[in-house]
Amino acid sequence: MKFSTYAIHIGNEPNLQPGGSGDVVIPIHLSTTFARKKVNRPTQGLEYSRSGNPTRFALEKNLAALENGKFGFAFSSGLAAITNILFLLQKGDHVVSIDDVYGGTRRLFTQVFAKCGVDFTFADFSNSADLSKFLKPATKIVWMESPTNPLLKIIDIASVSKLARTMKILTVVDNTFASPFFQKPLDLGADIVIHSMTKYIGGHSDAIAGCVMVNDDHLAESFKFLQNAVGAILSPFDSFQILKGIKTLSLRMHTHEENAKKVVGFLSRHSRIKKIYYPGLIYHKGHKIAEKQMSGYAGMVSFELQGNLKTAVKFLESLKLISIAESLGVVESLIEHPASMTHSSVPKKDREKIGLSDTLIRLSVGIEDVEDIIGDLDQALQKI
Ligand SMILES: *Cc1c(COP(=O)(O)O)cnc(C)c1O
């Protein structure tokens, strides 16, 4: 089976057993508990909805398939998924994380888990050869995002995973920006994949959700335990919403990418655009690795305008179709200003060091007609 087929069918198999109703859409099982005939044997393995729910199980089976993994686990948000991964660690353990990591992840690392005695190093190891400089005897996890947010840096997932494996260090890839349609980190040798399903996987801006996918049986046991012990599970209703979104994931990803390429073409010919970040551009740093490890470049584009902070604000506030909003990877085009929105908690000095200038704009290209997206950008650029 190919991706578009299993996105629709895996986990969604109709129940044609006696008593099954043959629904082609998985029902939303709202029951919080499951009755049993025998005291010491739950019916079909179901006990209590935190430890297992048929709608969530359907989604989790589907999620594993999307990443070519053996196991999938659904959580109540991307950050809840990340929290459960960090619960694999103990006081004194060390994590090396890519410096351009998602802001909420950085906050969770430095303001929550650092207090529990986990030690973090943020570093740029997009050139995997640099990684060993940051490893310590206590290093347990290397944390990657590729492409990163908002500069779309690319990390060589296969080389980093290979090096980490020789030292028994777990590799985690936050694959939110690529989606499982364009990149499969488990196939590249990573141990754990996480997604904010709020973004491409769900795709419709109507559910906050996260997931973890793995191949290793021991890791799967740990996540099964943690999911129940911590309790940050995805609800049956949201599991249904995400399963519904996944059915069109491949269609959406094709269009996101096709539209993004046309938007990049338009921007690169425009005199008011100073710089464009898109992994599909031949001159993008990391393009060669992206070409090797991704089957497409998805729909996230960042760019810098000529001018200053005022120019950026004027441009954004002149847009009519494209909403100024956080989040990304959804059907509607969304645009944001990292310096005042998603990355405002990063001190200006640090922002400049990483390359987050005041005129940097991050655009999540939606699946509207691309002429309307470009038309809106064009009219707003004329106002600056
Ligand atoms: C949004 C996002 C998260 C956090 O996910 P939530 O669902 O908002 O909790 C984590 N990583 C990346 C790359 C994201 O874009």
Side-chain angles (χ1 to χ4, degrees), residues 65-185:
L66 293 185
E67 284 285 4
N68 284 345
K70 265 164 74 183
F71 307 96
F73 300 91
F75 296 95
S76 54
S77 67
L79 283 175
I82 295 171
T83 299
N84 278 265
I85 298 171
L86 290 170
F87 279 142
L88 296 172
L89 301 178
Q90 292 176 14
K91 192 171 160 193
D93 286 346
H94 174 243
V95 176
V96 179
S97 167
I98 189 74
D99 55 353
D100 197 18
V101 73
Y102 173 73
T105 307
R106 187 187 269 258
R107 182 177 55 204
L108 180 65
F109 288 176
T110 57
Q111 295 185 42
V112 181
F113 279 91
K115 273 202 307 208
C116 307
V118 179
D119 181 23
F120 295 90
T121 300
F122 296 92
D124 182 355
F125 50 89
S126 42
N127 179 357
S128 59
D130 294 337
L131 177 66
S132 43
K133 281 196 289 209
F134 308 108
L135 300 177
K136 300 180 185 178
T139 308
K140 291 282 154 47
I141 285 180
V142 174
W143 196 280
M144 294 174 256
E145 259 175 49
S146 187
T148 64
N149 172 27
L151 296 174
L152 304 155
K153 273 193 209 169
I154 302 292
I155 304 171
D156 189 335
I157 298 172
S159 324
V160 169
S161 303
K162 200 168 152 198
L163 175 66
R165 181 147 299 185
T166 60
M167 306 175 82
K168 298 205 158 44
I169 298 169
L170 287 174
T171 42
V172 180
V173 177
D174 182 333
N175 201 25
T176 302
F177 267 50
S179 90
F181 183 70
F182 285 134
Q183 179 169 271
K184 295 191 175 53

Side-chain angles (χ1 to χ4, degrees), residues 136-373:
K136 300 180 185 178
T139 308
K140 291 282 154 47
I141 285 180
V142 174
W143 196 280
M144 294 174 256
E145 259 175 49
S146 187
T148 64
N149 172 27
L151 296 174
L152 304 155
K153 273 193 209 169
I154 302 292
I155 304 171
D156 189 335
I157 298 172
S159 324
V160 169
S161 303
K162 200 168 152 198
L163 175 66
R165 181 147 299 185
T166 60
M167 306 175 82
K168 298 205 158 44
I169 298 169
L170 287 174
T171 42
V172 180
V173 177
D174 182 333
N175 201 25
T176 302
F177 267 50
S179 90
F181 183 70
F182 285 134
Q183 179 169 271
K184 295 191 175 53
L186 296 178
D187 288 353
L188 296 165
D191 296 301
I192 302 173
V193 174
I194 99 106
H195 282 273
S196 167
M197 302 199 285
T198 316
K199 319 295 167 53
Y200 283 120
I201 291 185
H204 291 73
S205 307
D206 56 6
I208 299 269
C211 63
V212 167
M213 289 85 141
V214 295
N215 269 324
D216 180 79
D217 294 1
H218 292 295
L219 278 176
E221 277 303 310
S222 303
F223 285 117
K224 181 109 201 105
F225 168 80
L226 284 168
Q227 202 182 26
N228 188 41
V230 176
I233 44 150
L234 192 63
S235 75
F237 182 74
D238 286 333
S239 299
F240 169 84
Q241 293 278 78
I242 300 290
L243 260 175
K244 186 171 173 175
I246 290 171
K247 291 180 187 173
T248 54
L249 183 59
S250 59
L251 278 177
R252 287 187 282 111
M253 293 317 297
H254 272 301
T255 309
H256 280 299
E257 188 191 35
E258 209 174 287
N259 284 359
K261 284 182 171 163
K262 290 185 179 147
V263 166
V264 166
F266 163 75
L267 294 174
S268 54
R269 287 186 297 274
H270 204 287
S271 61
R272 300 305 303 268
I273 307 295
K274 196 161 117 193
K275 192 162 181 190
I276 304 172
Y277 300 89
Y278 185 66
L281 284 167
I282 312 175
Y283 61 76
H284 185 80
K285 195 168 168 269
H287 171 72
K288 277 244 136 52
I289 295 164
E291 202 178 23
K292 198 176 65 181
Q293 69 188 14
M294 302 174 81
S295 56
Y297 306 105
M300 296 302 298
V301 181
S302 294
F303 55 94
E304 271 172 52
L305 295 170
Q306 305 278 5
N308 53 28
L309 177 63
K310 267 201 169 132
T311 326
V313 171
K314 175 92 186 156
F315 164 72
L316 287 165
E317 294 180 355
S318 302
L319 290 162
K320 292 179 178 150
L321 174 75
I322 305 171
S323 297
I324 308 173
E326 298 190 0
S327 199
L328 60 105
V330 288
V331 293
E332 51 282 307
S333 294
L334 299 178
I335 202 158
E336 69 111 3
H337 185 237
S340 28
M341 295 170 65
T342 49
H343 293 68
S344 58
S345 62
V346 182
K348 192 169 164 65
K349 209 168 75 261
D350 293 345
R351 281 206 305 269
E352 278 161 7
K353 217 166 67 193
I354 325 176
L356 305 182
S357 74
D358 280 349
T359 63
L360 183 76
I361 309 276
R362 185 190 81 185
L363 171 62
S364 170
V365 180
I367 60 169
E368 301 97 335
D369 192 294
V370 71
E371 282 182 30
D372 292 326
I373 301 172

